[in-house]
Amino acid sequence: MKLKGLRWWIIALIALATIINYIDRTAFGVMWPEMGKDLGMDESDYAVMLNVFMITYALGKFLSGKLYDQIGTRLGFIFSITLWSAAAILHAFARGLVSLSLVRAMLGFGEAGNWPGAVKSNGEWFPVKERAIAQGIFNAGASLGSVVAPALIAFLYAQFGWRTTFIILGLLGFVWIIPWFIINKSTPKKHPWLTEKERNLILSGRIEPDEVNEKEKGMSVAKILSYKESWGVLVSRFFIEPIWWLFVGWMPLYLNSEFGFSIEEIGSTIWISYLGGMAGSLAGGWFSGTLMEKYSLDFARKLSILIGGALIFLGLMGIIFLVDGDNAMTFIYIVSIVLFGFQFAIGNIQTLSSDLLKGPSVGTLAGLAGTVAAVSVIIMNWLIPQITEISYTPVFIIIAILAPLAVLSIYILIRKIEPVEIEHTNNY
């Protein structure tokens, strides 16, 4: 049996896992008003659990990256989605702050593995010119999950209540494991369903000169951090990540406080902004892949990141100078441009781990970058309530500054995007 385009089946399954990931994490916020009442909890308890999730999410990014490097992406994804799906189901049995915090921590740790796993899988299954579009498809799953989650969760809650809704959502992940286990049998070098044409495309389209030995040990964290290129990835993720999470986490509150939107009005409009993000995911990958047909990997990645950063900056300038209390839809549309720019850039930034390092070390750098990114989001979540008592404008100004800093960190710290071993060997 041969399956044409097997690599696209693999990334489609990862994108589906990402949709499930976002649905599972969104359910808590959407159903919190009724959950809180049933459990006798208030907003201070909610804040505690948000921080618990983000802390374990940050830790999980790094640890799961190391785990994927050791056990591979096939088993790594099964581990991650089993953990977070079980955590989703266990929400239904929570009785108070302690039990709910424990399952939130479990959810954060499990969901974190989705990102370093995707980066590592794309490095294994796609030639370098297709990695950004593969990452774009994966990131589109995050945007699509944000679009469908509120309506799906509201429907299930109306039919079954919040406890049963968590059980149903958790079961989705266990169902996903079945096709993943069947289709992702092995690495591209040995997969029995892969056509020779596709196998040659994948293996010959890698930036490292030879297939990485499956038994080869990855570099230590200290060794990875000895390269300034690794710091380019980490610093750029630190600066750019709060931009996405600002709108994912705080836009509903902003729409309510600034424009008086109800929950129904938020749900009926906010998806427009996330569609912009989904379009940016696909466009950024397509654009860089197209450039690579004529130009170098370095030029294609950096130009794509620059364009995405410019769109973020211009969109935030539009929010600062054009939006007031009477034009809510203008805000919604401009945010779609910001999220388009973010996803246009982030897909290319995320693929840098597989551009710079070989297989056994990719997951470690990707996971470490995810941890750094999560830490910056934790800082932002702490800062926002301190500076938004009167207006959100200071936050938008800070975020606007972060966008060019993220781009500059790539240009300054990564002189040329190529395997670091090759670059440093050539310097001697």
Side-chain angles (χ1 to χ4, degrees), residues 14-207:
I14 294 176
L16 181 58
T18 309
I19 294 172
I20 297 171
N21 186 297
Y22 261 77
I23 291 173
D24 286 349
R25 77 172 61 179
T26 302
F28 181 68
V30 172
M31 296 190 292
W32 170 251
E34 292 304 319
M35 289 178 63
K37 290 179 184 178
D38 290 348
L39 299 173
M41 302 170 72
D42 57 23
E43 290 186 3
S44 63
D45 297 319
Y46 179 76
V48 168
M49 287 177 290
L50 282 181
N51 288 332
V52 166
F53 176 87
M54 286 306 304
I55 290 170
T56 58
Y57 188 74
L59 181 63
K61 283 288 186 76
F62 171 66
L63 293 179
S64 58
K66 293 289 289 184
L67 177 68
Y68 278 57
D69 279 340
Q70 292 183 7
I71 68 174
T73 54
R74 185 187 191 226
L75 295 179
F77 266 105
I78 291 174
F79 172 82
S80 293
I81 202 165
T82 296
L83 185 62
W84 94 58
S85 298
I89 291 174
L90 289 175
H91 278 64
F93 304 96
R95 291 293 181 267
L97 178 62
V98 174
S99 57
L100 200 51
S101 294
L102 286 174
V103 296
R104 293 302 294 173
M106 183 177 171
L107 184 77
F109 190 85
E111 289 203 339
N114 198 56
W115 274 259
V119 172
K120 184 173 177 62
S121 181
N122 289 346
E124 293 171 347
W125 280 93
F126 287 88
V128 63
K129 69 177 182 179
E130 292 181 348
R131 287 180 188 172
I133 186 62
Q135 194 70 24
I137 293 171
F138 158 70
N139 284 332
S143 299
L144 184 57
S146 298
V147 171
V148 303
L152 174 63
I153 294 163
F155 171 77
L156 291 174
Y157 170 78
Q159 301 297 317
F160 306 108
W162 67 268
R163 294 187 186 275
T164 303
T165 296
F166 273 116
I167 294 174
I168 294 171
L169 296 179
L171 290 174
L172 292 177
F174 287 105
V175 172
W176 176 91
I177 290 174
I178 299 172
W180 176 260
F181 189 79
I182 295 173
I183 293 175
N184 192 13
K185 292 180 178 296
S186 181
T187 61
K189 188 175 183 180
K190 298 180 179 179
H191 202 296
W193 292 2
L194 202 60
T195 65
E196 284 305 309
K197 180 180 179 181
E198 187 174 12
R199 194 190 318 276
N200 292 334
L201 173 67
I202 295 170
L203 298 182
S204 64
R206 292 178 170 178
I207 50 178

Side-chain angles (χ1 to χ4, degrees), residues 296-329:
S296 68
L297 165 67
D298 180 74
F299 178 81
R301 287 274 189 266
K302 287 181 176 177
L303 181 59
S304 300
I305 293 168
L306 176 63
I307 291 173
L311 289 173
I312 295 170
F313 182 80
L314 292 174
L316 287 164
M317 288 297 100
I319 292 174
I320 293 168
F321 292 107
L322 300 178
V323 173
D324 56 38
D326 297 323
N327 51 7
M329 290 311 299

